[in-house]
Amino acid sequence: MPEFAIGEHDFLLDGRPFRILSGALHYFRVHPDLWADRIDKARRMGLNTIETYVAWNAHAPEPGTFDLTGGLDLDRFLRMVADAGMYAIVRPGPYICAEWDNGGLPAWLFRDPEVGVRRYEPKYLDAVRDYLTKVYEVVVPHQIDRGGPVLLVQVENEYGAFGDDKRYLKALADHTRESGVTVPLTTVDQPTPEMLEAGSLEGLHRTASFGSAAEARLATLRAHQPTGPLMCSEFWNGWFDHWGAHHHTTPAADSAAELDALLAAGASVNLYMFHGGTNFGLTNGANDKGVYQPLITSYDYDAPLDEAGDPTPKYHAFRDVIARYHKVPDTVPPPARPAPTPSGVLRDPVRLLDAPERWGTWEFHEELPTFDVLTPMPKLGLLRTSVAGDRPGVLTFGEVRDRATVFFDGDLVGTLSRDHHERAIPLPRAAGELLVLVEDQGRVDYGPRIGEAKGIIGGAELHGEPLTGWEVLPFDLAALPSLRPSPPSSVAGAVAGPVVLRAEIDVDEPADLFLDTREWGKGVAWLNGFALGRYWRRGPQRTLYVPRPVVRAGANELVVLELGTMLDPAARFVPRPLLGHTEA
């Protein structure tokens, strides 16, 4: 069997120097029927390795579950990498960041307030060991010394930016070895002395994450990893976007020059990202450094391969750089073609407030609960109580995480947003039925707020007194596309949410599509039951990507949950993605 090792100066494949030319491709962000296409395009750009994170919370949405089917079939993904003649790097965390919900850590893990976060704490480590055991049952047979593609496995992820618990890191490394992982183990940190020192252990090969100033940053890495190959295992060739901010792009020539500097220095590299993909469903993460910023649905990342899997100018620029140092395949992928532009009329409204019990089951709580104590843990929930008094007052919440829309006797009162630090709203009358629609817009994926609770935190007050006696309805969003009105009906003009609408979309043959959301407010869309993700008028993203395998020849059903105000109840598709405010 082949052998892969870390030598005095190089990675060694069967005893000969080997440079890793890798690209990040997260299987859980790409439709599984498109994995082979994306892997092949990485090969044709000149890469020899595919790197992926493993998202714990995607595989285990609830305790006692571990899903390895469909888009979570890691075994199939690694087999496809091998079938393409490529190698693999696996980064199972348990924390992955990745701009993914909660950094990949399951929210249910923190229902017990005694559970630690990324440290040596018994309850946390018990859960982590169980998770890693399940991952390594898949990964171990795919190691290179067993005839598979896996060259490296990473321990934790940029841990030096979070903590310095060496006992914790050793527990992860020891369990990894005990589980049968024999390939070299790595860590990654930003190349500062403090992070490189805090984030690794002797015996784990240090690598760095950066996107510029390669010579200086490799020198810093070398000071902390004095022997063996230098590797930038996250070469940031693009960046991610937040709702309400601008779309990040990096000139292809600038990124290519930085890649050239890395390769000229003899370093190995993993492009982050080669192909970003999509935060399908409600899987996006968020940042909070004083202001809460949820990520958009697209994870295009301005990568060499765009969200729809088409080569960009950066793809060709990177291929040209790689060709200066290594042989690249003769053929390149064809350029993108304009996508079909079908349309349809949104109709058949199902209004949330008319019969909320169609969307879930009410449960009573004397004190207002957070989302985290509910099972299953919702992304969207409705809170209801009765208010009786002798005067209007101000409704005050401890904290809103992350968006609360308030209704009184069915009338919209207003919306409170976490990013504006809002938590109080006046009620118009002394008595009536209070309804609050609360949305989790994505859990923080980086920094000290990982693992925090969602929903309404710290209860509610009216006239300075606690408001108690709540009914809570967690929404079953997976079942939402099957909700149908009785009788069917049309809509005219702008539509106020929360409401479910649907349209029939006819296409000649399956193809990638780009759903135009510019005239819609805020919500979620599905095509043929597949959750495309969130849209929001504040941008910068103004289309939702629809992967070709989801589309059927003939009639397709589009379902939209509009939470705000839809200016035009029409379903339109455009020939290319619109990810920035300035795009025409």
Side-chain angles (χ1 to χ4, degrees):
M1 290 296 180
E3 180 184 17
F4 188 77
I6 293 176
E8 184 67 20
H9 304 290
D10 302 287
F11 290 116
L12 300 175
L13 181 59
D14 290 335
R16 304 182 64 179
F18 178 82
R19 191 201 310 246
I20 294 174
L21 300 170
S22 176
L25 172 61
H26 301 156
Y27 60 95
F28 46 88
R29 278 182 160 132
V30 179
H31 192 285
D33 291 351
L34 299 175
W35 288 344
D37 172 79
R38 307 314 195 240
I39 293 166
D40 178 66
K41 287 171 178 172
R43 180 190 64 81
R44 289 204 268 173
M45 197 179 82
L47 302 181
N48 56 29
T49 304
I50 296 293
E51 175 270 314
T52 187
Y53 280 128
V54 180
W56 182 1
N57 55 3
H59 290 277
E62 290 295 329
T65 65
F66 203 79
D67 187 1
L68 287 165
T69 64
L72 298 172
D73 191 343
L74 178 58
D75 176 77
R76 179 183 176 219
F77 180 76
L78 293 174
R79 281 189 279 112
M80 285 185 169
V81 171
D83 290 345
M86 300 187 74
Y87 300 104
I89 299 170
V90 179
R91 302 204 287 168
Y95 164 78
I96 63 171
C97 183
E99 292 73 57
W100 185 259
D101 190 55
N102 216 33
L105 298 174
W108 52 259
L109 189 60
F110 306 109
R111 282 178 173 144
D112 182 345
E114 294 182 359
V115 171
V117 181
R118 302 180 72 189
R119 61 184 172 87
Y120 193 95
E121 187 280 313
K123 293 182 179 180
Y124 174 73
L125 276 175
D126 283 348
V128 168
R129 289 186 180 108
D130 181 67
Y131 156 67
L132 290 176
T133 296
K134 291 180 171 63
V135 172
Y136 293 143
E137 286 173 355
V138 176
V139 172
V140 164
H142 288 285
Q143 294 179 104
I144 189 166
D145 55 7
R146 300 196 184 193
V150 176
L151 301 175
L152 299 171
V153 169
Q154 184 178 289
V155 175
E156 247 283 350
N157 188 56
E158 289 193 326
Y159 186 64
F162 181 86
D164 60 359
D165 188 342
K166 302 291 188 177
R167 191 180 176 199
Y168 165 61
L169 290 177
K170 187 175 187 304
L172 296 186
D174 288 348
H175 187 74
T176 298
R177 289 300 189 207
E178 291 162 5
S179 298
V181 174
T182 53
V183 297
L185 304 183
T186 65
T187 57
V188 62
D189 283 288
Q190 297 170 48
T192 70
E194 298 78 15
M195 292 187 190
L196 287 167
E197 175 57 35
S200 193
L201 295 171
E202 293 306 313
L204 306 181
H205 191 74
R206 289 175 172 88
T207 71
S209 55
F210 56 86
S212 61
E215 185 175 348
R217 284 164 175 161
L218 289 174
T220 303
L221 174 61
R222 177 56 80 200
H224 292 267
Q225 184 59 57
T227 64
L230 293 172
M231 182 170 183
C232 178
S233 58
E234 281 193 24
F235 174 64
W236 301 327
N237 52 253
W239 207 245
F240 52 87
D241 296 337
H242 298 114
W243 290 113
H246 69 284
H247 173 49
H248 292 81
T249 59
T250 305
D254 292 354
S255 291
E258 293 291 350
L259 176 61
D260 196 17
L262 258 177
L263 299 185
S268 287
V269 66
N270 175 55
L271 306 177
Y272 194 96
M273 299 288 296
F274 164 69
H275 171 57
T278 309
N279 296 315
F280 292 121
L282 305 177
T283 56
N284 63 278
N287 283 292
D288 192 335
K289 298 177 181 179
V291 176
Y292 174 76
Q293 295 179 295
L295 272 83
I296 67 171
T297 297
S298 171
Y299 201 64
D300 176 86
Y301 213 85
D302 193 35
L305 209 64
D306 70 13
E307 186 177 9
D310 291 314
T312 69
K314 196 172 286 183
Y315 181 98
H316 298 288
F318 281 16
R319 188 175 186 273
D320 289 344
V321 169
I322 293 169
R324 296 173 198 161
Y325 300 90
H326 298 272
K327 182 175 174 54
V328 300
D330 294 333
T331 61
V332 297
R337 295 185 300 172
T341 57
S343 61
V345 177
L346 287 163
R347 50 177 293 122
D348 298 340
V350 178
R351 303 188 185 279
L352 181 152
L353 302 185
D354 289 348
E357 52 278 357
R358 293 188 63 183
W359 303 57
T361 301
W362 290 106
E363 50 187 74
F364 181 79
H365 295 261
E366 183 62 26
E367 305 294 333
L368 187 58
T370 66
F371 279 3
D372 293 57
V373 304
L374 305 175
T375 304
M377 207 177 294
K379 289 286 188 179
L380 195 68
L382 193 62
L383 318 175
R384 181 170 69 183
T385 193
S386 295
V387 175
D390 56 5
R391 67 190 190 282
V394 175
L395 174 67
T396 304
F397 297 116
E399 185 181 349
V400 174
R401 295 184 190 159
D402 303 305
R403 186 177 174 88
T405 303
V406 180
F407 301 87
F408 205 65
D409 288 335
D411 296 328
L412 175 64
V413 176
T415 297
L416 304 174
S417 298
R418 175 178 177 176
D419 56 343
H420 291 167
H421 303 284
E422 296 168 326
R423 62 187 189 93
I425 194 167
L427 298 183
R429 292 179 294 281
E433 183 184 66
L434 176 66
L435 284 170
V436 185
L437 179 64
V438 182
E439 180 187 1
D440 165 6
Q441 295 185 122
R443 291 177 184 262
V444 171
D445 56 62
Y446 184 87
R449 303 197 71 146
I450 297 167
E452 67 180 9
K454 286 289 189 176
I456 300 297
I457 312 301
E461 290 186 351
L462 185 63
H463 304 304
E465 297 294 328
L467 199 54
T468 57
W470 291 88
E471 290 180 288
V472 178
L473 190 148
F475 283 82
D476 182 0
L477 289 175
L480 185 147
S482 64
L483 290 179
R484 296 188 177 276
S486 182
S489 62
S490 60
V491 295
V495 179
V499 62
V500 173
L501 302 162
R502 64 188 64 243
E504 183 175 293
I505 307 297
D506 290 312
V507 298
D508 294 333
E509 60 182 4
D512 289 331
L513 301 175
F514 301 101
L515 176 62
D516 187 349
T517 64
R518 286 175 288 182
E519 297 301 309
W520 300 356
K522 186 182 197 303
V524 185
W526 293 257
L527 190 81
N528 297 329
F530 182 86
L532 303 175
R534 308 176 197 259
Y535 63 87
W536 199 352
R537 186 179 293 126
R538 66 165 56 180
Q541 178 174 355
R542 299 185 294 164
T543 52
L544 285 174
Y545 169 58
V546 184
R548 182 180 65 253
V550 171
V551 182
R552 298 191 289 251
N556 295 263
E557 184 178 58
L558 175 69
V559 175
V560 178
L561 168 61
E562 174 61 61
L563 299 173
T565 303
M566 181 178 286
L567 298 177
D568 184 4
R572 300 184 181 91
F573 294 80
V574 293
R576 62 188 181 87
L578 303 174
L579 296 180
H581 288 292
T582 60
E583 293 167 321

